[in-house]
Amino acid sequence: MHVICRSATTPPFELNIGIITKFYFQTLPAPTSVVNWVYEIPMANPNIAANAFSHIQSFALNASVIDDKTGFGVTPSPSSFHISGTYHGDEATFRSKIAQEFLRTLPTPSSTKIQTLPWLDSLVDMWGSALPQPLSGYNAHDNFYAKSILVPETIPLSPSALLNYFTYLATNGSSTSGWFSELNLLG
């Protein structure tokens, strides 16, 4: 595996290459339960989408609400945000603390699903069907090209950048071109 980084701070913007030679993993016990949640939030126009995402970005940086128990992703389309995530805590805390702040300034969701599931059932729910576990011939993979942009916590996406992005999405929607974008917070 190769990791290529371009320095944005070191003139003349040198190309730095890193090669990963070892991975270290620490396994942890599976949680007894996980709160899976999904919101479908309609976005009438790019201004509403930009303001909504600005709130989501601020929410993700709010340490009084967000911690390492929460992870979620936003998949925008020209007309809605599909937001799904997990919370590794109890459903009552999720509903009273996290969900309330998350939804505070967003348009009313057109659909909501919040459920507490055992660990393995949570994975199946996120996958959308039974998890493939063949003993041989495993081929559950996808070929894709990805571009990643990481935004520093100290300099979140600006209102104008968000408006430009959502205007582009509204006029060049992903449904006709085969591309999609996903914006994630991984806790």
Side-chain angles (χ1 to χ4, degrees), residues 7-14 16:
S7 173
T9 58
T10 309
F13 308 108
E14 299 171 4
N16 300 304

Side-chain angles (χ1 to χ4, degrees), residues 3-48:
V3 176
I4 300 174
C5 304
R6 186 172 301 266
S7 173
T9 58
T10 309
F13 308 108
E14 299 171 4
L15 182 63
N16 300 304
I17 298 176
I19 299 173
I20 298 171
T21 59
K22 293 181 182 177
F23 286 100
Y24 295 94
F25 294 95
Q26 178 182 1
T27 59
L28 300 170
T32 55
S33 64
V34 178
V35 179
N36 283 22
W37 52 279
V38 179
Y39 296 111
E40 194 72 34
I41 300 183
M43 295 296 151
N45 63 57
N47 285 316
I48 291 172

Side-chain angles (χ1 to χ4, degrees), residues 7-168:
S7 173
T9 58
T10 309
F13 308 108
E14 299 171 4
L15 182 63
N16 300 304
I17 298 176
I19 299 173
I20 298 171
T21 59
K22 293 181 182 177
F23 286 100
Y24 295 94
F25 294 95
Q26 178 182 1
T27 59
L28 300 170
T32 55
S33 64
V34 178
V35 179
N36 283 22
W37 52 279
V38 179
Y39 296 111
E40 194 72 34
I41 300 183
M43 295 296 151
N45 63 57
N47 285 316
I48 291 172
N51 289 335
F53 193 80
S54 183
H55 167 75
I56 292 168
Q57 185 174 239
S58 296
F59 167 81
L61 296 171
N62 184 347
S64 70
V65 178
I66 280 289
D67 59 22
D68 62 354
K69 295 178 182 179
T70 307
F72 66 89
V74 179
T75 306
S77 75
S79 61
S80 69
F81 284 177
H82 176 84
I83 306 166
S84 60
T86 58
Y87 177 66
H88 293 260
D90 64 277
E91 188 173 326
T93 301
F94 175 79
R95 287 180 182 272
S96 66
K97 181 179 176 185
I98 296 167
Q100 282 189 6
E101 177 59 23
F102 184 79
L103 297 170
R104 186 171 46 85
T105 64
L106 297 179
T108 302
S110 58
S111 67
T112 298
K113 180 174 124 181
I114 301 170
Q115 59 184 347
T116 300
L117 298 168
W119 169 249
L120 208 49
D121 292 343
S122 169
L123 297 177
V124 169
D125 182 63
M126 288 187 296
W127 182 259
S129 62
L131 298 173
Q133 299 177 359
L135 297 175
S136 64
Y138 180 82
N139 66 356
H141 65 276
D142 200 358
N143 295 322
F144 62 92
Y145 174 75
K147 282 290 212 178
S148 296
I149 298 173
L150 302 176
V151 180
E153 288 183 27
T154 56
I155 310 169
L157 293 168
S158 69
S160 64
L162 291 170
L163 182 58
N164 287 337
Y165 171 72
F166 290 112
T167 299
Y168 179 85

